[in-house]
């Protein structure tokens, strides 16, 4: 065989080795990696004269570990295959350690629907005390429902509205919080700043309630980060675990009760609470957690359908799988990064929805120690060694 042919064969073999073992982020393009699927209605059209927001940048390496960049099902090698669901993406996490037990397209960008209210709740808890009083405006009380049934000019505590926000997905409660925080644009900025401080690089908020809007997106990974942070806060954990709650009489309207939308509460062993969501574009979204056998797990599901099995039943099957997987000791496939900060005001760049800075640094700390750059250097060195070997053979033959 000629030396040139030998060199070509070696290069091909090395290229195949590179493609076989390089980090997933370097060679894979997963569905919905940059933006969610096209909308089915006009809800995401920007106001006249304003351009549609550009896609958020995709990190060079997947946040949470190399396997978080894989497409399709991601689960420990040697473990049972996860149950089938209708969800386009999902993630199972350990609520105590932040370990990702299994997932499907974890960084696929989808629409959150009302699951974004969990992020609004983090901002509210950070900004207000539970006993602070809010008086909803007529605009707050007349939002597109689902609604709690707030009365314009009524008197409500932050704790009461937080229950209405998380238990009953009240868009009127979301708007009342937004008004109290300085208006919808300011609240959206604060929510985007909070997302960035958590390291949620797939998330851009367009509306406080989760109704679809221009550029709205998140991922199963990001919503897992947000729920993980929320379940560390007593006010959040208490609200999502409340089955029934009474709102006081207001301005001639008698007292009334609301009930938790999450049907696993009280029916699934050890259920801790969660949140549901739906819009025509987002389809069904879901987050819920449970405690069993000394472990606390949570699941996030994105773009799911109620048929042939209800989404809550699909979530229960994934939680069952997660508890069995945790018991098996097969290990994890990724990690939820620790937040950079959750109690400080976002910077001007964060409020403007700029590309994450400190959050990206926090994510980088969790990248594989041997990332894409390392593989490139290794490839170059290997090619130089092969080239030297081939040139040495050529010199010996020409003497």
């Amino acid at each position: 065989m000629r030396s040139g042919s030998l060199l070509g064969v070696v290069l091909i073999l090395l290229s195949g080795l590179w493609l076989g073992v390089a980090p997933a982020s370097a060679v894979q393009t997963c569905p919905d990696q940059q933006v969610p699927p096209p909308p089915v209605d006009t809800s995401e059209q920007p106001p006249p004269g304003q351009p549609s927001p550009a896609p958020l940048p995709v990190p060079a390496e997947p946040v949470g570990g190399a396997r978080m960049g894989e497409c399709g099902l991601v689960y420990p090698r040697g473990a049972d295959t996860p149950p089938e669901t209708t969800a386009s993406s999902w993630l199972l996490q350990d609520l105590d350690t932040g370990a990702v037990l299994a997932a499907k397209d974890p960084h696929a960008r989808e629409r959150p629907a009302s699951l974004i209210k969990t992020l609004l709740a983090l901002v509210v808890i950070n900004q207000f005390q539970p006993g602070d009083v809010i008086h909803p405006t007529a605009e707050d009380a007349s939002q597109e429902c689902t609604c709690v049934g707030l009365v314009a000019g009524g008197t409500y505590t932050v704790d009461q509205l937080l229950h209405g926000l998380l238990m009953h997905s009240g868009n009127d409660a979301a708007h009342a919080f937004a008004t109290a925080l300085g208006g919808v644009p300011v609240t959206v900025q604060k929510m985007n700043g909070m997302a960035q401080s958590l390291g949620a690089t797939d998330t851009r908020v367009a509306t406080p309630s989760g109704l679809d809007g221009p550029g709205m997106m998140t991922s199963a990974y990001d919503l897992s980060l947000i729920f993980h942070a929320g379940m560390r806060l007593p006010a959040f954990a208490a609200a999502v675990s409340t089955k029934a709650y009474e709102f006081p009489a207001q301005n001639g309207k008698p007292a009334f009760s609301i009930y938790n939308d999450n049907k696993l509460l009280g029916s699934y062993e050890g259920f801790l609470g969660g949140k549901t969501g739906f819009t025509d574009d987002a389809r069904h979204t879901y987050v819920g957690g449970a405690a069993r056998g000394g472990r606390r797990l949570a699941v996030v599901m994105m773009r799911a359908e109620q048929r042939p099995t209800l989404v809550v039943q699909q979530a229960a099957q994934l939680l069952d799988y997660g508890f069995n997987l945790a018991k098996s000791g097969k290990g994890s496939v990724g990690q939820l990064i620790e937040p950079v900060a959750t109690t400080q005001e976002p910077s001007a760049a964060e409020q403007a929805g700029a590309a994450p800075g400190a959050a990206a640094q926090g994510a980088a700390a969790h990248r594989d120690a041997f990332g894409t750059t390392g593989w490139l250097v290794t490839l170059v060195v290997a090619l130089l060694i092969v080239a030297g070997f081939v040139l040495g053979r050529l010199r010996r033959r020409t003497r």
Side-chain angles (χ1 to χ4, degrees):
M1 181 181 290
R2 293 182 179 179
S3 298
S5 300
L6 175 62
L7 178 59
V9 170
V10 172
L11 289 174
I12 291 171
L13 290 174
L14 282 172
S15 298
L17 178 64
W18 157 251
L19 290 174
V21 298
S25 60
V27 296
Q28 290 188 326
T29 301
C30 297
D32 311 322
Q33 187 176 35
Q34 288 193 319
V35 295
V40 299
D41 54 28
T42 61
S43 61
E44 296 186 10
Q45 289 184 358
Q50 294 187 18
S52 296
L56 292 173
V58 177
E61 296 185 29
V63 178
R67 296 206 66 190
M68 293 294 91
E70 293 182 17
C71 306
L73 294 175
V74 187
Y75 57 100
R77 293 174 178 86
D80 292 336
T81 304
E84 291 186 7
T85 73
T86 63
S88 294
S89 61
W90 55 262
L91 187 144
L92 273 167
Q93 65 157 305
D94 187 310
L95 274 172
D96 295 311
T97 67
V100 179
L101 303 180
K104 177 184 177 184
D105 290 343
H107 280 294
R109 290 174 174 177
E110 306 285 358
R111 298 170 181 88
S114 284
L115 262 60
I116 208 65
K117 290 184 173 84
T118 58
L119 181 61
L120 175 59
L122 298 188
V123 174
V124 167
I125 293 170
N126 185 40
Q127 298 278 308
F128 297 113
Q129 295 298 317
D132 289 346
V133 172
I134 291 177
H135 302 285
T137 65
E139 184 180 7
D140 298 335
S142 62
Q143 290 299 299
E144 179 183 342
C145 293
T146 57
C147 297
V148 176
L150 302 183
V151 175
T155 301
Y156 302 90
T157 67
V158 165
D159 185 60
Q160 289 168 342
L161 294 181
L162 196 63
H163 280 79
L165 181 78
L166 294 175
M167 287 177 58
H168 198 59
S169 203
N171 290 347
D172 48 356
H175 204 278
F177 277 136
T179 300
L181 285 164
V184 168
V186 171
T187 301
V188 167
Q189 290 173 356
K190 288 178 181 290
M191 292 171 71
N192 281 321
M194 180 66 75
Q196 291 181 21
S197 72
L198 292 171
T201 56
D202 301 316
T203 299
R204 177 165 56 204
V205 180
T207 66
S209 65
L211 292 173
D212 297 317
M216 184 84 121
M217 67 178 69
T218 188
S219 65
Y221 184 92
D222 282 12
L223 286 173
S224 297
L225 277 177
I226 293 165
F227 191 68
H228 188 93
M231 291 301 284
R232 292 179 172 182
L233 303 174
F236 183 102
V240 297
S241 66
T242 302
K243 194 166 186 178
Y245 190 83
E246 184 173 283
F247 268 71
Q250 297 282 346
N251 299 340
K253 182 177 182 178
F256 62 96
S257 295
I258 60 171
Y259 300 91
N260 201 308
D261 290 336
N262 206 319
K263 302 305 180 185
L264 291 187
L265 190 61
S267 65
Y268 186 87
E269 179 187 350
F271 195 71
L272 301 170
K275 185 80 188 68
T276 62
F278 174 83
T279 69
D280 288 340
D281 281 327
R283 306 310 297 163
H284 294 275
T285 58
Y286 184 88
V287 60
R292 187 182 297 175
R295 305 293 291 264
R296 296 195 315 147
L297 307 184
V299 64
V300 167
M301 301 174 65
M302 307 292 293
R303 197 151 52 97
E305 299 295 343
Q306 297 282 25
R307 295 179 180 179
T309 307
L310 294 177
V311 172
V312 290
Q313 295 173 354
Q314 297 174 51
Q317 292 171 359
L318 284 173
L319 285 170
D320 287 342
Y321 173 80
F323 283 114
N324 290 332
L325 192 59
K327 191 185 301 182
S328 72
K330 295 289 186 181
S332 61
V333 295
Q335 183 71 32
L336 298 183
I337 63 172
E338 284 295 318
V340 176
T342 56
T343 58
Q344 64 184 22
E345 283 293 311
S347 66
E350 288 173 330
Q351 289 186 356
Q361 295 173 11
H366 292 265
R367 294 173 182 166
D368 286 355
F370 200 57
T372 303
T373 302
W375 286 105
L376 287 172
V377 171
T378 301
L379 180 62
V380 171
V381 171
L383 290 175
L384 288 174
I385 292 172
V386 171
F389 172 78
V390 172
L391 289 174
R393 292 282 300 275
L394 285 172
R395 288 194 186 98
R396 286 196 296 271
R397 288 186 178 184
T398 56
R399 285 177 183 173

